[in-house]
Amino acid sequence: MSRFSQPDPELGHRLSRRGMLGVAAGATAAALLGAAAPANAATGTTTAAGNATPTTASGTKGRGRPVLPPGRLGIQLYSLRDKVSTLGFGPVFAELERYGYDEVEFAGYTQGSAGPITLAQLKRLARNHGLNPIGSHVGYYSNDPNAYTFAQNLTKVLDDAQALGLKHIGTASGPFRYGSTVDAWKRAAEDFNTYGAAARARGMKFYQHNHSEEFSFATDNPKVRLYDILLKETDPDLVHLEMDIYWAYVGQFRFSKRPDGTPAPFEPLNYVLRQPDRYPLFHVKDGESDPSNPYGYNMTDVGDGDIDYQRFISAVTRLRGHHRLSHHWQAEHDNPAESLTFARRSSAHLHSLREKC
């Protein structure tokens, strides 16, 4: 079912993400293998290491340098929450290894029905499958003083991230804690600076992941885009951004005009090109353009939509004077029809992309 059939898809996304629970390694690999097509089916030949050699859609190997930097393809485990919850981390990680993934981003790491798992065990399990735990999404704030959020339990959040060896720890919550005015977002920026300083003291980077609403306008000054306040009021050495590229283009569709109808165009890629060091992480999700949809797109598997990832990733990784390995690219789909098929096909597509000669 499409997320766009929900009355408020972004709210539903945020609420369901907060409730996502990881589960322990359990069940059997055989059960998982029965749930997904072979890793190399329709994607290329198998290498000696057991991974598929990605090909282009026509079935022939691409020419030129790969667009995707080596060792930088990850996946947001929220996309695989159904398989994690029923089969456990171990079988899921085994499949991701087969599909050629290098990294994982967490959306919860508690036990669930498959039994308890410690953070040390989870870290070791990922590493045993060649997966680098690169980041995690945690809630921003809650009315519950015991909630597992940055505002309520910052020390615990950072302790857990450090135990997992994460280099990045962030939130997918928008900076709407105090409202949508200019001053409200300045207050949220102060919170983020605090979390960023605490994370930096532990050798980590704090980051915020956008949806489309961040690109809307301040309610008390409709000439000001909220995302621009976030960038201006947060310390670039303390607060980083994970651009969800799909939601940024949804934001472009929704908010290229101010409330009074005057033009206010923007290009998501330009935000990155102006400040590439602020964007260590990206979410790579795709969508088919659909002007009849109030969000402008219908979410799809990566490679099935209209977002030009050859262009986007190339532009970022080819910046003069900027290291090609500075960024991490996490595939994601909020509600894939079959999550392991999504993971396999997305990896194959992204690995097939080549620089234009």
Side-chain angles (χ1 to χ4, degrees):
M1 181 175 68
S2 170
R3 63 173 282 119
F4 295 107
S5 64
Q6 303 174 14
D8 187 344
E10 291 196 56
L11 177 61
H13 172 84
R14 290 193 291 272
L15 292 176
S16 60
R17 183 183 289 279
R18 288 178 195 147
M20 188 272 187
L21 296 178
V23 299
T28 63
L32 180 60
L33 294 175
N40 60 333
T43 62
T45 58
T46 302
T47 67
N51 294 326
T53 300
T55 63
T56 62
S58 64
T60 59
K61 294 181 180 179
R63 297 180 179 179
R65 185 175 73 166
V67 166
L68 192 70
R72 288 296 185 267
L73 177 62
I75 191 166
Q76 166 52 254
L77 292 172
Y78 180 76
S79 304
L80 299 165
R81 60 195 180 279
D82 60 327
K83 295 298 189 292
V84 173
S85 66
T86 56
L87 301 170
F89 281 113
V92 171
F93 286 171
E95 287 301 286
L96 295 178
E97 181 181 20
R98 292 181 65 233
Y99 301 162
Y101 283 93
D102 311 296
E103 301 173 335
V104 289
E105 183 183 34
F106 290 102
Y109 15 79
T110 54
Q111 58 271 19
S113 60
I117 185 170
T118 67
L119 295 176
Q121 290 170 331
L122 185 55
K123 177 182 178 181
R124 182 166 58 251
L125 190 61
R127 296 294 172 86
N128 286 346
H129 288 288
L131 299 170
N132 179 33
I134 193 63
S136 181
H137 285 187
V138 177
Y140 169 15
Y141 67 94
S142 172
N143 293 326
D144 178 1
N146 298 313
Y148 189 78
T149 63
F150 282 95
Q152 277 65 46
N153 279 290
L154 177 61
T155 299
K156 175 60 174 172
V157 167
L158 297 181
D159 284 346
D160 290 350
Q162 201 163 24
L164 279 166
L166 301 181
K167 297 298 183 184
H168 309 84
I169 180 69
T171 183
S173 301
F176 294 95
R177 180 181 186 180
Y178 309 107
S180 299
T181 65
V182 172
D183 284 343
W185 272 56
K186 287 182 177 180
R187 289 183 65 190
E190 291 176 4
D191 287 348
F192 284 8
N193 284 331
T194 298
Y195 309 150
R200 185 179 183 182
R202 308 252 199 139
M204 293 179 283
K205 292 180 179 179
F206 170 81
Y207 64 96
Q208 193 266 344
H209 163 286
N210 66 274
H211 293 87
S212 69
E213 289 292 340
E214 283 87 336
F215 297 95
S216 63
F217 300 94
T219 53
D220 61 336
N221 188 345
K223 293 183 179 180
V224 177
R225 195 180 301 280
L226 291 173
Y227 196 70
D228 295 337
I229 301 173
L230 179 66
L231 286 169
K232 181 180 179 181
E233 298 296 330
T234 51
D235 186 331
D237 292 328
L238 301 179
V239 177
H240 298 82
L241 291 308
E242 176 179 62
M243 179 174 281
D244 186 304
I245 299 168
Y246 169 87
W247 283 118
Y249 279 103
V250 171
Q252 181 192 60
F253 177 86
R254 297 180 65 195
F255 303 114
S256 284
K257 291 184 178 179
R258 297 185 179 89
D260 65 0
T262 58
F266 73 94
E267 166 55 52
L269 177 58
N270 289 341
Y271 276 105
V272 182
L273 299 184
R274 285 194 293 265
Q275 300 186 65
D277 291 333
R278 295 207 74 176
Y279 293 87
L281 304 172
F282 293 90
H283 272 191
V284 179
K285 66 175 66 157
D286 212 343
E288 291 179 318
S289 179
D290 180 4
S292 69
N293 186 315
Y295 288 84
Y297 293 87
N298 298 311
M299 196 176 295
T300 66
D301 290 355
V302 178
D304 289 346
D306 297 313
I307 297 177
D308 189 346
Y309 277 109
Q310 193 281 337
R311 168 181 172 264
F312 195 104
I313 299 175
S314 290
V316 175
T317 58
R318 296 178 69 180
L319 282 170
R320 185 181 299 275
H322 196 68
H323 201 283
R324 191 164 183 259
L325 299 180
S326 298
H327 307 279
H328 305 263
W329 306 88
Q330 317 293 310
E332 188 185 34
H333 190 311
D334 292 355
N335 290 302
E338 208 299 311
S339 59
L340 286 171
T341 299
F342 154 75
R344 174 177 56 81
R345 296 182 70 241
S346 298
S347 173
H349 175 73
L350 290 169
H351 278 112
S352 75
L353 297 177
R354 293 293 185 270
E355 297 281 4
K356 293 181 179 178
C357 300

